Amino acid sequence: MTKPTIRRGDKGAQFEELQNRLHSYGYLKNPISHGVKADGVMGLATLRAVLAFQARTGLSPDGVCGPKTWAALESVGQNIMGNTFGWPFADNWAVTSRQGWRRLGGQRQYHGGIDIGSPQMSAVLSPYKGKVAHMNRNHPTGGGLLIVSSESGWGYALCHLSHIHLDVGDPVEAGQMVALSGGTPGTRGAGYSTGAHLHISIQIWGQSIDPS
């Protein structure tokens, strides 16, 4: 079925689908703080999300969701289904916090990834093939931080690493040991953390998406 061209001010079920896609791809990752919800009504925040998506995917950023933008949105959805990320540990440690809104330190915050309750100094395996785009052994909140990206636009970020075995520009294979987990307060690479764990964020073109 051909989808209609959507502009600011338009309403309807097709626009609600547009909002849902933008939210699931990370372009509306703060829906509450920006006053956005999947209500089928075009607002300024959704317009900005469309513009950001168009610019990121090489389209003309005009804020109009026409055939080319719909095709790009659907292509990203197919890529999400077709790209399998591996589990970053040899053991099946539990997910202790999922992506989304949560209360931390008495404040409501958006959590842009998932936390895995791994013991301190657990071997971390690369969930996807790529190249190290950024590395910081002492980020103020993320602690030991490693970001891997690929030419396809897919990538991931790992936080609270006690030891990182790579440097910027190094190639990375899926399943390769890249670091040791951390997170225990006061230890090397813990950053802002309440206990031992690994934070992982799955990304497409730098935008965090919900891995679940």
Side-chain angles (χ1 to χ4, degrees), residues 6 36 66 68 79 85-86 101 106 111 113 146 151 158-159 165 187 195 209:
I6 297 175
V36 177
K68 291 184 178 179
N79 286 336
F85 282 76
W101 287 94
H111 187 223
L146 180 68
E151 293 182 356
L158 305 172
C159 297
H165 302 324
T187 63
I209 65 169

Side-chain angles (χ1 to χ4, degrees), residues 3-210:
K3 290 182 170 59
T5 297
I6 297 175
R7 297 176 174 82
R8 189 178 182 190
D10 289 346
K11 302 179 181 180
Q14 293 290 353
F15 181 70
E16 185 172 341
E17 178 185 348
L18 170 62
Q19 287 181 311
N20 283 327
R21 283 184 180 270
L22 290 168
H23 181 234
S24 65
Y25 301 163
Y27 290 86
L28 286 177
K29 63 182 180 180
N30 262 351
I32 295 177
S33 66
H34 290 302
V36 177
K37 58 182 179 179
D39 55 5
V41 180
M42 180 69 133
L44 180 59
T46 307
L47 174 63
R48 288 172 176 168
V50 171
L51 290 168
F53 176 81
Q54 290 173 328
R56 179 70 69 172
T57 53
L59 298 173
S60 176
D62 58 7
V64 177
C65 187
K68 291 184 178 179
T69 301
W70 275 118
L73 286 164
E74 291 173 352
S75 176
V76 171
Q78 292 166 0
N79 286 336
I80 290 174
M81 298 303 296
N83 283 275
T84 302
F85 282 76
W87 187 249
F89 294 106
D91 296 291
N92 192 26
W93 308 117
V95 174
T96 56
S97 181
R98 297 192 177 277
Q99 183 158 333
W101 287 94
R102 65 179 185 176
R103 188 165 293 279
L104 186 65
Q107 295 184 336
R108 186 174 173 81
Q109 299 178 350
Y110 187 85
H111 187 223
I114 64 172
D115 291 342
I116 301 172
S118 54
Q120 187 81 7
M121 303 286 283
S122 297
V124 180
L125 310 178
S126 173
Y128 198 73
K129 180 179 179 179
K131 182 182 290 186
V132 178
H134 180 75
M135 185 268 292
N136 187 335
R137 289 187 168 88
N138 194 30
H139 189 274
T141 56
L145 168 67
L146 180 68
I147 298 177
V148 173
S149 62
S150 69
E151 293 182 356
S152 67
W154 289 97
Y156 61 87
L158 305 172
C159 297
H160 312 297
L161 302 171
S162 59
H163 294 78
I164 300 173
H165 302 324
L166 300 168
D167 290 313
V168 173
D170 285 349
V172 183
E173 295 294 328
Q176 175 183 340
M177 179 179 171
V178 295
L180 296 177
S181 66
T184 300
T187 63
R188 176 179 178 177
Y192 181 61
S193 173
T194 58
H197 74 284
L198 174 75
H199 171 93
I200 179 169
S201 170
I202 303 300
Q203 301 175 343
I204 176 68
W205 298 308
Q207 297 287 334
S208 176
I209 65 169
D210 189 344

